[in-house]
Amino acid sequence: METVRHSEHTLKTALISENPRLVSQYEKLDAGERRLLSEAFKPDHDLFGPITLHSQSDWIISHPEAPQDFEQFFSDPYRKAPSPDKRSIYIQCIGHILKFLKKKKPEDAFCIVGITMIDLYPRDSWNFVFGQASLTDGVGIFSFARYGSDFYSSRYEGRVSKLQKGSSSDYAVFDNYYTPQVTSVLLLRSCKTLTHEIGHIFGLRHCQWLACLMQGSNHLEEADRRPLNLCPICLRKLQCAIGFNIIERYKALVRWIEDESDSPGVSTERSREGAVDLPKPVDAFKEWKEWIIKCLAVVQK
């Protein structure tokens, strides 16, 4: 196992920047928020650990790319930000991918994210991806396919002999298709992938600073090691993109974990008829909840 470590100065620069304008912006944050974010470059911090590499197939080794610090994120001319007219995130069940989503994107949507049980891969040279997003079009897709415990022990074979075009509201194509059991682990994995892809749409690139939700993952084991939380550098990026109070955000996350029903802020008006409400299994979220509570203790000192 290899640990990716950055110096205190490198992490501090990645978070705060040396640009006077961005330094001033950081200094205007609430004192508690700065205290939490500064955990990123404290030598003895335990809230935000380093990235660990376990094999040559891990994302950073397999897909080398330049890291993105806060200044690069802030200055990105192609980065999109929500507006009063485009501030909603839509989740759409689909069988086809990004072009379909672009056509189905409501006018008030900042982004639309599709979910599917079809295994995904962007090109023949790749084995698979858990999700993919288009930053410029504000669309993304992720798959539940490999999250079920029996996916790798099952076989799915066959080829499409004739292309068939059906109505986007016709879900018959999914009849008798593999559907995993809705477990706490599946929900945790799905939340990671969904929020990771939406993070890309907000302009966050793959994180190479600390253990973080925005790390890339090349296989399920690596995806499971990736935390559900953002590191301080990526947290500041997201806060800059959409604006929120960290205390209020973290308290809302704790309430979501504790609430047995879905969040009251989520609209199901566009759900197809016949949809049923399922219990929300959150046993796998207990460790994350404890982590959030520790962060709140730091912010509220």
Side-chain angles (χ1 to χ4, degrees), residues 102-165:
K102 186 177 179 181
K103 292 178 181 178
K104 290 290 182 179
K105 186 177 178 183
E107 289 187 2
D108 67 337
F110 170 71
C111 66
I112 179 170
V113 180
I115 56 175
T116 180
M117 279 308 308
I118 306 296
D119 202 26
L120 301 175
Y121 64 100
R123 56 183 68 94
D124 289 341
S125 60
W126 289 44
N127 52 356
F128 74 96
V129 291
F130 291 111
Q132 192 175 15
S134 169
L135 278 62
T136 54
D137 294 327
V139 296
I141 175 72
F142 82 98
S143 170
F144 283 121
R146 293 175 181 258
Y147 290 167
S149 58
D150 59 344
F151 177 85
Y152 292 93
S153 62
S154 304
R155 290 175 64 86
Y156 304 94
E157 295 180 346
R159 291 179 177 273
V160 177
S161 58
K162 184 179 180 181
L163 180 63
Q164 296 179 346
K165 292 186 177 181

Side-chain angles (χ1 to χ4, degrees), residues 59 89 98 110-115 120 129-135 138-143 147 189-206 213-217 226 230:
W59 182 273
I89 296 174
L98 297 180
F110 170 71
C111 66
I112 179 170
V113 180
I115 56 175
L120 301 175
V129 291
F130 291 111
Q132 192 175 15
S134 169
L135 278 62
V139 296
I141 175 72
F142 82 98
S143 170
Y147 290 167
R189 288 170 171 171
S190 302
C191 284
K192 284 183 180 182
T193 303
L194 176 61
T195 50
H196 176 98
E197 296 306 326
I198 293 176
H200 281 319
I201 296 173
F202 281 119
L204 281 70
R205 298 179 189 170
H206 285 126
L213 171 69
M214 292 309 299
Q215 285 175 240
S217 60
R226 179 176 63 187
L230 294 171

Side-chain angles (χ1 to χ4, degrees), residues 118-281:
I118 306 296
D119 202 26
L120 301 175
Y121 64 100
R123 56 183 68 94
D124 289 341
S125 60
W126 289 44
N127 52 356
F128 74 96
V129 291
F130 291 111
Q132 192 175 15
S134 169
L135 278 62
T136 54
D137 294 327
V139 296
I141 175 72
F142 82 98
S143 170
F144 283 121
R146 293 175 181 258
Y147 290 167
S149 58
D150 59 344
F151 177 85
Y152 292 93
S153 62
S154 304
R155 290 175 64 86
Y156 304 94
E157 295 180 346
R159 291 179 177 273
V160 177
S161 58
K162 184 179 180 181
L163 180 63
Q164 296 179 346
K165 292 186 177 181
S167 168
S168 62
S169 60
D170 181 9
Y171 288 81
V173 66
F174 296 106
D175 289 348
N176 301 317
Y177 200 82
Y178 164 73
T179 303
Q181 180 184 1
V182 180
T183 65
S184 181
V185 172
L186 184 141
L187 181 60
L188 177 63
R189 288 170 171 171
S190 302
C191 284
K192 284 183 180 182
T193 303
L194 176 61
T195 50
H196 176 98
E197 296 306 326
I198 293 176
H200 281 319
I201 296 173
F202 281 119
L204 281 70
R205 298 179 189 170
H206 285 126
C207 181
Q208 300 184 50
W209 304 111
L210 296 162
C212 178
L213 171 69
M214 292 309 299
Q215 285 175 240
S217 60
N218 212 33
H219 47 81
L220 188 58
E221 179 186 349
E222 186 177 21
D224 283 342
R225 291 198 305 266
R226 179 176 63 187
L228 185 53
N229 59 275
L230 294 171
C231 76
I233 297 166
C234 292
L235 181 61
R236 188 186 177 197
K237 294 175 187 177
L238 185 64
Q239 187 185 43
C240 173
I242 60 178
F244 55 80
N245 178 280
I246 291 179
I247 293 178
E248 293 176 359
R249 172 180 170 81
Y250 281 2
K251 284 183 175 180
L253 289 172
V254 171
R255 288 195 301 271
W256 180 84
I257 296 171
E258 294 175 341
D259 188 358
E260 294 183 359
S261 62
D262 288 332
S263 169
V266 176
S267 171
T268 57
E269 291 179 3
R270 294 175 182 260
S271 299
R272 67 186 178 100
E273 290 185 16
V276 295
D277 292 328
L278 297 173
K280 186 175 67 180

